Amino acid sequence: MTVDFLAADAPLRDWDNHCLWHPFTPMSAWVTEQAPIISGSDGFQLIDTAGHRYLDGISSLWCNVHGHHVPEIDQAVREQLDRVAHSTLLGLASEPSIRLAKALLDRAPAGLSRVFYSDSGATTVEVALKMAYQYHRQKSPAAEDRSTFLCIGNAYHGDTLGTVSVGGIDLFHRCYRHLLFQTLTAPSPVALRVPAGHTQDSWLQHCFDEVERLLQLHHQNLAAVVMEPLVQGAAGILVHPTGYLQHVRRLCDKYDVLLIVDEVATGFGRTGSLFACEQEQVCPDFLCLAKGISGGYLPLGATLTTERIYKAFLGEPWQGRTFYHGHTYTGNALACAAGLASLKLFEERRVLENAAASAALISARLADLHQHPHVAEVRQRGLMVGIELVRDRETLTSFPVQFRLGHQVTLAARRRGVILRPLGDVIVLMPAPAMPQHLISRICDTAIECINEVVADALQRCSLGSA
Ligand SMILES: *Cc1c(COP(=O)(O)O)cnc(C)c1O
């Protein structure tokens, strides 16, 4: 018997538990937790089927920019819908994809001159990896076979196998190691926990030196260096020291290796500037954009590159120099229309100025946490914030993993009407760049309250356990 899947009184909770498999989710715990089923929105709030409202404290996984149900973006998508929802970029051009490419290049670091569309963050990095690899095989006068990439420790570039190959998050990636291509890894330049024999300064210096050593030794085999600029998001909002991105760019120039910068998370105002690269006056050879590109409305990715790369793919059609890669929904018209409306709002509403005010407010609001006995570190760059919780601040030991401490904090926040999502025991705050300051305050205050509640509870469990 078939049921009416559109019925107003459909048992959605049941269907969710029986039909869906959620991403990055331990499903046995999920089915007991009754996560809100979102059916509406109002500005920066999401509304569930029971009518409860939740402040979106993580920009719907780091992509929302101007809030939800934004009249200007809704209108732009609707107008596009009245024309055509999708047509292919294979063999046809499309109006919104052309306008958006022009708008992106006008705002991206000078030197980038070509836009290759796809439909997610992972695909933008896959595109850059394949283009870099193929570039070396086709460049003139002397083509080379350069078959590996230099990555940064604990990197995250997506979940497809190519991006997992250049990633380094053990928990997500170790299971697939035999399926991956070989890469080299430079240590992530962060110094909360440093290897024995190092001070924080000597360790950071070592990280700077190590990239150079690896490039010097292996540049003839390296197609590119791949990195997240300024902040490694999924690794736990790890903030790089000032100058690291520029250091890597200089070394790439010196050793003639291409630089792929993954701005999927940092792009579109998340670190304070439209693109994080701007803060170190860096122009990469490939700039990967997704998440915020459509204002957080629709799936869209873009890999921007230079004329030098582009030219190596030119030739007579039968010579086989073409970039043979494309996804069916590449450069989707609705997504590009949303992206154009989003860029317009950035300027009309001075969103970057708002983001700067919000970033300063967050620093002030979270200042007390720096002394908190169970906070190892508060890391922040612009609107990307990570609060790392530990059992012991001196030894940096964690609470037992069974406690799922970060997860407990987000459940406590949800009870107070705020949506957060942790990375292990790092509480992540990622408000939208356009969020007004009174809502920013509410997210910070709720996070602190929930951290205190959950930590107190965890300490009690620990003392009961040892008694
Ligand atoms: C989220 C993210 C990706 C992957 O984007 P998807 O759209 O989920 O494929 C890649 N790189 C970085 C830095 C990210 O934060």
Side-chain angles (χ1 to χ4, degrees), residues 61-62 119-125 156-159 163 228 231 233-234 262-266 290-291 300:
L61 233 306
W62 313 2
D119 49 28
S120 73
T123 56
T124 66
V125 177
Y156 179 79
H157 298 290
D159 300 322
T163 56
E228 298 156 83
V231 185
D262 174 355
E263 289 235 27
V264 171
T266 53
K291 288 198 169 104
L300 182 66

Side-chain angles (χ1 to χ4, degrees), residues 14-15 42 69 102 131 133 138 145 187 202 211 239 245 307 347 368-369 413 421 447 455:
D14 259 22
W15 291 357
D42 176 12
H69 206 339
K102 178 74 178 123
M131 278 181 178
Y133 178 84
Q138 296 180 179
D145 184 4
S202 78
V211 201
V239 178
L245 174 63
E307 220 53 16
E347 281 141 39
D368 287 347
L369 284 182
R421 180 166 172 94
V455 164

Side-chain angles (χ1 to χ4, degrees), residues 356-409:
S358 295
L361 178 61
I362 293 169
S363 310
R365 272 317 233 241
L366 299 184
D368 287 347
L369 284 182
H370 290 280
Q371 318 307 329
H372 193 288
H374 299 285
V375 171
E377 226 177 20
V378 180
R379 300 186 281 265
Q380 182 188 355
R381 188 86 195 222
L383 298 172
M384 300 179 80
V385 182
I387 304 164
E388 182 169 339
L389 303 179
V390 282
R391 181 169 176 180
D392 183 330
R393 187 188 164 94
E394 293 309 312
T395 60
L396 298 174
T397 42
S398 308
F399 282 99
V401 284
Q402 295 84 332
F403 285 17
R404 298 187 78 200
L405 200 77
H407 183 63
Q408 296 304 328
V409 171

Side-chain angles (χ1 to χ4, degrees), residues 109-122:
L112 296 167
S113 61
R114 294 281 164 177
V115 177
F116 189 96
Y117 285 111
S118 58
D119 49 28
S120 73

Side-chain angles (χ1 to χ4, degrees), residues 1 51 255 306 396:
M1 193 190 86
Y255 293 102
T306 63
L396 298 174

Side-chain angles (χ1 to χ4, degrees), residues 80 83-102 115 117 300 328-337 340:
Q80 184 58 43
R83 298 190 184 110
V84 54
H86 179 72
S87 60
T88 181
L89 292 195
L90 284 68
L92 291 174
S94 86
E95 184 181 343
S97 71
I98 297 168
R99 292 189 193 280
L100 182 61
K102 178 74 178 123
V115 177
Y117 285 111
L300 182 66
T328 305
Y329 285 101
T330 279
N332 172 264
L334 296 176
C336 290
L340 286 163

Side-chain angles (χ1 to χ4, degrees), residues 165-426:
S165 294
V166 294
I169 298 188
D170 206 41
L171 177 67
F172 304 167
H173 299 158
R174 73 181 155 224
C175 164
Y176 311 107
R177 65 188 179 279
H178 296 303
L179 297 178
L180 309 178
F181 56 76
Q182 291 295 311
T183 58
L184 295 165
T185 304
S188 173
V190 294
L192 176 61
R193 296 170 177 85
V194 302
H198 273 290
T199 64
Q200 296 200 325
D201 285 344
S202 78
W203 171 250
L204 289 179
Q205 187 56 52
H206 171 78
C207 294
F208 275 65
D209 295 344
E210 196 58 11
V211 201
E212 170 136 37
R213 191 185 67 82
L214 289 166
L215 276 162
Q216 195 173 33
L217 206 59
H218 299 287
H219 63 94
Q220 281 142 331
N221 295 320
L222 284 171
V225 175
V226 191
M227 67 184 288
E228 298 156 83
L230 310 194
V231 185
Q232 292 183 238
I237 318 294
L238 304 181
V239 178
H240 289 175
T242 306
Y244 184 74
L245 174 63
Q246 200 174 75
H247 174 66
V248 176
R249 173 73 272 183
R250 287 209 185 104
L251 292 173
C252 285
D253 289 339
K254 180 170 168 189
Y255 293 102
D256 192 24
V257 172
L258 300 172
L259 177 61
I260 299 171
V261 167
D262 174 355
E263 289 235 27
V264 171
T266 53
F268 300 96
R270 211 62 68 177
T271 68
S273 42
L274 192 61
F275 303 115
C277 282
E278 295 167 30
Q279 295 185 38
E280 303 215 345
Q281 298 85 46
V282 160
C283 177
D285 298 289
F286 299 92
L287 181 69
C288 301
L289 303 174
K291 288 198 169 104
I293 192 175
S294 64
Y297 259 59
L298 286 154
L300 182 66
T303 306
L304 277 55
T305 190
T306 63
E307 220 53 16
R308 169 189 167 201
I309 302 296
Y310 174 75
K311 283 199 174 126
F313 291 76
L314 300 179
E316 297 300 333
W318 54 86
Q319 288 179 312
R321 300 167 71 89
T322 302
F323 187 54
Y324 291 108
H325 183 113
H327 303 276
T328 305
Y329 285 101
T330 279
N332 172 264
L334 296 176
C336 290
L340 286 163
S342 169
L343 282 178
K344 195 155 169 247
L345 287 180
F346 259 104
E347 281 141 39
E348 283 175 5
R349 297 199 184 157
R350 300 174 175 273
V351 170
L352 293 177
E353 285 169 39
N354 185 71
S358 295
L361 178 61
I362 293 169
S363 310
R365 272 317 233 241
L366 299 184
D368 287 347
L369 284 182
H370 290 280
Q371 318 307 329
H372 193 288
H374 299 285
V375 171
E377 226 177 20
V378 180
R379 300 186 281 265
Q380 182 188 355
R381 188 86 195 222
L383 298 172
M384 300 179 80
V385 182
I387 304 164
E388 182 169 339
L389 303 179
V390 282
R391 181 169 176 180
D392 183 330
R393 187 188 164 94
E394 293 309 312
T395 60
L396 298 174
T397 42
S398 308
F399 282 99
V401 284
Q402 295 84 332
F403 285 17
R404 298 187 78 200
L405 200 77
H407 183 63
Q408 296 304 328
V409 171
T410 66
L411 292 182
R414 190 201 291 171
R415 290 193 290 273
R416 290 166 172 82
V418 173
I419 298 297
L420 299 178
R421 180 166 172 94
L423 291 158
D425 288 349
V426 178

